[in-house]
Amino acid sequence: MKLFTNKIGYLTIALALTVSSCSKDFLSAVPELDLSDATVFNSPARVLSQVNGLYGSAKNGSLFGGRYLIYNDIRAEEFVNRTTNSVTGYSTYQGNQDPSDTYLAGFWIQGYLTINRANLFLEGLTANPNAVSSALAANYRGEAKFIRALTYFSLVQFFAKPYILDKGASAGLPLRLKGETSSAGNNLARSTVAQVYDQILKDLNEAETELPDSYASALLNTTRAHKNSAIALKTRVLLAKGDYAGVITEANKIVSTTAPFRSNARVAHTLQSDVSAVFKAPYTTTESIFSFPMDATNAPGTQNQLGFYFNAGNVEYYLNTGSTGIYSNPQFAATDDRKTKLTVATTTIAKFPSSTKFSGISPFIDYVPNIRYAEVLLNLAEAEAEGGNINRAIDILNAVHKRSDPSFVFTGLDSKANVVKAILTERRIEFLAEGFRANDVLRRGESLNSFGAGALIPPSDPRYIYGIPLVETQTNPGIGN
């Protein structure tokens, strides 16, 4: 895959002129060009600026800053398109996307660009052992591996069959683990899904040992990876593998055995009493395990912003109030804070409910949550229901639901199937507009209920996963089908 055309390209990393590890400088970092390998590692400040650049690359609007999350939601049944605008995901919404789609190519390109920057950074750090202290070097290696793992995991969800369908035997992604400085490495076959997962978990296991326990501020504990971030992401990856025992093992590192469920290790993660606090400035609650920060100087970009798509200020997509949408599900009661505080019943544009999780519009500077403690709890609940302690699963389910709707009483939790169903429904409520829906369907090998296509899309349907983008097949002769 041709990512770069010259040496300047692969060293174009966000670099602040003055960087402080406990400030917001990385939010408004500016690019510095024409840097040699030696130059970018010649001071601790420049090394840190490269780390910040990795996060900056990942939070691009084409990736985790916007469209990755958006497309996961609009592929399914929770949202209804209002504008038929081809620029804002209408083909994906209809299930008509194809390998020539430039926006899907944007995921791929920005994803591999981020991976390559992580690879180059890791190699540069090894080649310059005296650039920073050994402790900082380990910290930075862990962050680079965390970003690489997060990116590979997200791409393999989009562009390969779910692991659960054949235990990862199908074709996955080209597994690029060396920094690309020319087109010489373009010709690379796809590794299997299982091999990609193995690398993701290897990165996360190593990151867990290398990352710090915590940082000096709530801001950095939210926006930079630490040990709990790697552990939390492992629960997501293992859940997608169907490795329920693994999920339980990892989650137990940061979840207490009994209620109130919280982390007693390192960063004291816990649910917020008011769920809406997670989506308000300063966005640095102890529920926010990892988020991508935004700033007026580097917002996600035109028509990439979550608020632009889902918020009442524009409403490209409004909530589906029909029988298939979560909005009308009995588990999502009118008394639920997630409905009363995080949706608007009537908008000035669509006259239908819309999500207000991302309400900082013009500029669109809401932080983008990537991992919340609520996810870790529901990952654990699902794993316990599937293969562990079903009573603990019910207790965790109640903990998550009742923080937003204390009077709600679950009924019918008398079988494993019903408990799992309630947990999966809870995920739809809790993570509405946060980019989980399609992946939650696909990771279980279930049919995707596409409102836009007006049909169930089964795993055998070519529309079930995205095709490898044309930009890759044209430059990588080894990619295959």
Side-chain angles (χ1 to χ4, degrees):
M1 176 183 180
K2 187 176 182 181
L3 288 173
F4 309 102
T5 58
N6 53 39
K7 194 173 182 66
I8 292 174
Y10 61 84
L11 287 174
T12 302
I13 300 174
L15 177 60
L17 297 178
T18 304
V19 180
S20 168
S21 63
C22 56
S23 74
K24 291 178 63 179
D25 289 349
F26 70 99
L27 296 179
S28 54
V30 295
E32 183 172 310
L33 307 179
D34 297 315
L35 299 178
S36 68
D37 290 359
T39 301
V40 295
F41 285 93
N42 74 355
S43 74
R46 282 187 165 170
V47 179
L48 175 57
S49 74
Q50 293 183 74
V51 177
N52 292 336
L54 297 179
Y55 290 104
S57 185
K59 75 169 193 173
N60 183 279
S62 293
L63 196 55
F64 301 120
R67 286 185 183 260
Y68 181 81
L69 286 74
I70 292 160
Y71 281 28
N72 268 317
D73 275 321
I74 65 175
R75 289 191 71 198
E77 72 278 72
E78 310 294 22
F79 290 93
V80 180
N81 179 269
R82 183 182 67 85
T83 63
T84 69
N85 185 351
S86 62
V87 176
T88 54
Y90 190 58
S91 62
T92 287
Y93 169 74
Q94 290 188 304
N96 291 332
Q97 71 281 341
D98 63 55
S100 66
D101 187 309
T102 58
Y103 299 102
L104 296 182
F107 294 141
W108 183 276
I109 293 169
Q110 191 64 34
Y112 272 101
L113 177 65
T114 301
I115 289 165
N116 196 52
R117 284 172 167 164
N119 292 340
L120 287 165
F121 174 74
L122 288 166
E123 291 168 4
L125 200 59
T126 299
N128 295 273
N130 299 318
V132 294
S133 69
S134 58
L136 270 181
N139 187 156
Y140 296 161
R141 282 196 303 272
E143 290 181 271
K145 290 173 185 176
F146 175 86
I147 290 293
R148 183 168 69 182
L150 174 65
T151 306
Y152 263 126
F153 178 71
S154 301
L155 289 176
V156 82
Q157 304 310 295
F158 264 16
F159 296 103
K161 291 181 180 179
Y163 186 98
I164 199 169
L165 291 181
D166 56 10
K167 297 187 182 299
S170 56
L173 304 172
L175 200 51
R176 299 185 181 275
L177 302 174
K178 296 181 179 180
E180 300 286 349
T181 61
S182 72
S183 61
N186 280 5
N187 189 354
L188 184 65
R190 299 167 73 177
S191 295
T192 66
V193 169
Q195 289 169 329
V196 176
Y197 270 77
D198 287 346
Q199 179 59 45
I200 292 165
L201 289 169
K202 179 177 184 294
D203 272 347
L204 290 175
N205 285 328
E206 292 175 0
E208 182 187 351
T209 66
E210 294 168 327
L211 288 166
D213 288 350
S214 64
Y215 295 95
S217 69
L219 172 66
L220 294 178
N221 282 336
T222 301
T223 59
R224 288 180 64 179
H226 44 77
K227 289 187 188 299
N228 287 6
S229 313
I231 293 166
L233 184 54
K234 275 194 279 183
T235 70
R236 182 186 295 176
V237 176
L238 292 164
L239 192 66
K241 282 188 70 176
D243 182 354
Y244 302 121
V247 174
I248 295 168
T249 296
E250 293 298 328
N252 280 343
K253 295 177 182 178
I254 55 175
V255 180
S256 58
T257 304
T258 58
F261 299 102
R262 60 184 60 183
S263 171
N264 297 314
R266 298 168 291 274
V267 180
H269 297 298
T270 186
L271 294 175
Q272 297 301 292
S273 58
D274 181 355
V275 66
S276 67
V278 179
F279 304 96
K280 297 176 181 177
Y283 310 102
T284 55
T285 72
T286 51
E287 183 168 338
S288 305
I289 297 179
F290 180 67
S291 298
F292 287 105
M294 296 295 165
D295 187 81
T297 62
N298 61 4
T302 303
Q303 295 177 314
N304 291 325
Q305 309 98 328
L306 291 161
F308 182 86
Y309 282 74
F310 300 138
N311 187 66
N314 186 73
V315 196
E316 290 283 317
Y317 292 84
Y318 57 86
L319 292 170
N320 173 15
T321 60
S323 60
T324 60
I326 195 62
Y327 189 85
S328 298
N329 190 287
Q331 194 167 316
F332 196 11
T335 53
D336 196 309
D337 282 352
R338 293 167 295 188
K339 182 170 284 185
T340 61
K341 295 182 178 180
L342 295 174
T343 69
V344 172
T346 304
T347 74
T348 57
I349 298 176
K351 304 299 182 185
F352 285 98
S354 61
S355 171
T356 58
K357 282 183 175 178
F358 308 101
S359 56
I361 59 175
S362 299
F364 295 84
I365 56 174
D366 285 314
Y367 283 24
V368 177
N370 191 278
I371 307 173
R372 291 201 282 125
Y373 196 60
E375 183 201 349
V376 176
L377 292 180
L378 290 177
N379 291 349
L380 176 56
E382 186 177 340
E384 291 281 24
E386 289 282 11
N389 183 338
I390 197 165
N391 290 325
R392 189 182 186 209
I394 294 170
D395 288 344
I396 295 171
L397 169 63
N398 272 301
V400 174
H401 190 96
K402 287 179 179 292
R403 71 94 170 252
S404 296
D405 192 0
S407 64
F408 187 87
V409 177
F410 282 97
T411 59
L413 300 184
D414 52 0
S415 68
K416 170 183 169 179
N418 286 347
V419 173
V420 170
K421 180 180 179 181
I423 292 168
L424 294 175
T425 300
E426 192 68 21
R427 293 179 69 92
R428 292 176 63 185
I429 299 168
E430 183 69 25
F431 305 126
L432 185 65
E434 293 181 59
F436 280 79
R437 182 57 186 147
N439 283 347
D440 271 354
V441 173
L442 270 63
R443 67 175 172 80
R444 294 182 65 88
E446 299 171 352
S447 294
L448 184 67
N449 190 353
S450 169
F451 190 91
L456 286 174
I457 300 176
S460 58
D461 192 308
R463 297 173 295 175
Y464 195 66
I465 58 173
Y466 293 138
I468 300 297
L470 195 61
V471 66
E472 177 71 14
T473 58
Q474 288 178 334
T475 57
N476 178 4
I479 191 68
N481 297 322

